[in-house]
Amino acid sequence: MPAQAQSGSAAPVRVGVIGPFTGPSADFGVPMLNGIQLAVDEINAVGGYLGRPLQLVIKDDKGDPDQGRKASEELLAEKVVAALGFCNTGVAMKSIDLFQQAQTPVIVPCSSGTAVTAKYPAPESYIFRVQARDAIQAPFMVDDVVKRGWDKVAIFADTTGYGEGGVNDVIAALAARKLKPVYVSRFALGVKDLSSELTAARDAGANVIYSYTVGPENAVIANGKKALKWKVPQVGSWPLSFPFFLEGAKDAAEGALMVQTFIAEPSNERRAAFLANYSRKFMGKPAVPMAAANAYDASYLLMYSFLGIRDGSLTGKAIKESLEGKMRTYYGVVSTYEKPFSVEDKDAITRNMLIIGTVKNGAITFAYPEDAKRNLFIQRKQ
């Protein structure tokens, strides 16, 4: 994709954006890009950074690890000062070493794989994230599963880096509750039929399915259960809120539960304004609200890190140090970010910010009325 058109006479600040804007992961890649674009347009409307507009250099990784690495090399060759992006954990893990070696900060709004911010020792790492890592998503959901009395868990996970990390995190979360999965299925992306695996899970006595995959495969699981007339709940991480699941499974998706950082209900002024501005600019609601909101906040956090650098020298080291503690508080959509990052912590989202969403009439809403009430108050990092 071409760089965003330059505005103004001052030299622009070039910011990289990388994600799946075509292909099977575009359903959350495009809302991520739109969230970034919305934030950058707002920032440029009030002068950018010291009078310099932000210029997005956009690369499509198509959800493919090799394409992602090539796109990352291109971004770095085009001398971006920092980057926003990565939706797929497998893509991120193939590329983040390039940014680390170049000392070019990346803020990840979507990829939740625990390994993404754990690959490098925190004090040295240039990899930041505004998303709940799977190591907190999995225990949060497992605790809800146990609370509901579902103690025989079947895990269905794809064989990508995302699925691999998710399986490990779910098994660890179950072990902490003195449980083991009764059945584990691994499958490649693109699988169209999991009926034999679902039958095996049913025969193993499973009373809940925990799925870990990013695309249409979640719908394959739901539709397979329906075909077997096997009425057990399906739970998982945030891809159960994606259009591929909601539209692909239709009524078979009803009642599914998933971890969320943001549900598209205007519970306060900031969220109402974000949703209204997004809908106005992109002619409709975000297909994956959480991707759009996380990316919008990540963009502003990057901008706030720039504003912490008063001499105009946006080196990777200066941006990293600003992100780690030299920024003023940002009142965002997902959270109020007082100290989102530190030298020792590159993840902005903590467990207290998470909520359980559920599919109701084909849309995502709060699973618990108390979460809807709690959502009136912004949760800060703990």
Side-chain angles (χ1 to χ4, degrees):
M1 286 189 180
Q4 176 187 296
Q6 183 175 333
S7 64
S9 56
V13 177
R14 294 165 68 80
V15 174
V17 180
I18 183 167
F21 309 128
T22 59
S25 291
D27 58 344
F28 66 126
V30 171
M32 180 193 80
L33 175 60
N34 290 348
I36 293 167
Q37 187 73 65
L38 179 61
V40 167
D41 286 353
E42 291 173 359
I43 289 163
N44 285 341
V46 293
Y49 170 66
L50 303 181
R52 299 169 62 190
L54 303 193
Q55 181 187 52
L56 297 180
V57 184
I58 300 165
K59 302 291 180 182
D60 183 3
D61 64 34
K62 301 177 182 175
D64 176 78
D66 292 330
Q67 179 64 29
R69 189 170 179 90
K70 180 173 176 287
S72 297
E73 288 169 345
E74 292 170 359
L75 276 183
L76 290 166
E78 294 187 43
K79 304 296 183 190
V80 297
V81 300
L84 296 155
F86 294 117
C87 286
N88 305 85
T89 296
V91 178
M93 293 305 291
K94 184 109 182 193
S95 298
I96 56 175
D97 61 304
L98 296 172
F99 292 94
Q100 182 70 17
Q101 289 160 15
Q103 296 188 340
T104 300
V106 179
I107 305 182
V108 177
C110 287
S111 171
S112 59
T114 301
V116 171
T117 47
K119 186 170 184 179
Y120 301 104
E124 300 161 24
S125 181
Y126 281 75
I127 315 302
F128 299 79
R129 175 159 52 193
V130 182
Q131 165 65 299
R133 64 191 184 279
D134 290 328
I136 63 171
Q137 283 202 43
F140 189 73
M141 180 52 78
V142 165
D143 286 353
D144 190 66
V145 163
V146 172
K147 183 171 78 174
R148 290 170 181 265
W150 303 329
D151 57 352
K152 294 179 173 59
V153 181
I155 303 174
F156 278 66
D158 65 40
T159 50
T160 66
Y162 175 69
E164 184 67 29
V167 165
N168 294 336
D169 286 329
V170 174
I171 289 173
L174 287 169
R177 302 299 299 256
K178 296 184 168 48
L179 294 172
K180 289 183 180 179
V182 297
Y183 179 81
V184 177
S185 170
R186 304 299 305 281
F187 50 85
L189 288 183
V191 67
K192 303 296 184 193
D193 182 10
L194 289 166
S195 55
S196 61
E197 290 85 350
L198 288 162
T199 300
R202 183 184 64 185
D203 293 347
N207 57 13
V208 61
I209 290 177
Y210 201 128
S211 57
Y212 242 101
T213 185
V214 292
E217 298 77 20
N218 271 321
V220 171
I221 294 166
N223 290 327
K225 283 196 299 119
K226 181 182 177 183
L228 290 172
K229 295 184 172 56
W230 185 32
K231 295 182 178 179
V232 294
Q234 184 173 350
V235 307
S237 60
W238 72 303
L240 288 176
S241 67
F242 292 8
F244 266 133
F245 177 63
L246 300 177
E247 294 167 11
K250 295 197 165 53
D251 63 327
E254 197 73 5
L257 299 165
M258 79 295 296
V259 181
Q260 298 277 277
T261 60
F262 174 77
I263 287 176
E265 296 187 12
S267 53
N268 60 43
E269 190 177 339
R270 280 179 252 164
R271 289 171 178 157
F274 166 74
L275 291 167
N277 291 339
Y278 185 104
S279 294
R280 194 177 304 117
K281 184 175 181 65
F282 300 108
M283 307 303 291
K285 297 175 182 177
V288 180
M290 188 171 149
N294 286 2
Y296 179 88
D297 281 0
S299 305
Y300 267 101
L301 288 173
L302 182 61
M303 180 61 191
Y304 273 45
S305 77
F306 294 169
L307 295 174
I309 302 166
R310 302 309 303 167
D311 64 1
S313 179
L314 296 179
T315 66
K317 187 169 183 291
I319 295 167
K320 174 181 180 289
E321 289 176 354
S322 190
L323 284 166
E324 289 170 346
K326 294 182 179 177
M327 297 189 299
R328 59 190 175 91
T329 299
Y330 165 56
Y331 297 91
V333 174
V334 174
S335 179
T336 292
Y337 302 89
E338 202 164 2
K339 285 189 168 66
F341 309 112
S342 70
V343 172
E344 297 295 339
D345 185 3
K346 298 301 189 281
D347 283 286
I349 304 294
T350 45
R351 179 178 165 125
N352 65 298
M353 299 180 194
L354 303 182
I355 45 183
I356 302 288
T358 188
V359 181
K360 187 174 182 180
N361 299 323
I364 306 301
T365 188
F366 297 96
Y368 294 105
E370 57 265 34
D371 277 347
K373 290 176 185 172
R374 192 171 69 97
N375 203 50
L376 296 171
F377 305 95
I378 292 282
Q379 302 299 309
R380 300 188 183 212
K381 183 173 182 176
Q382 290 182 348

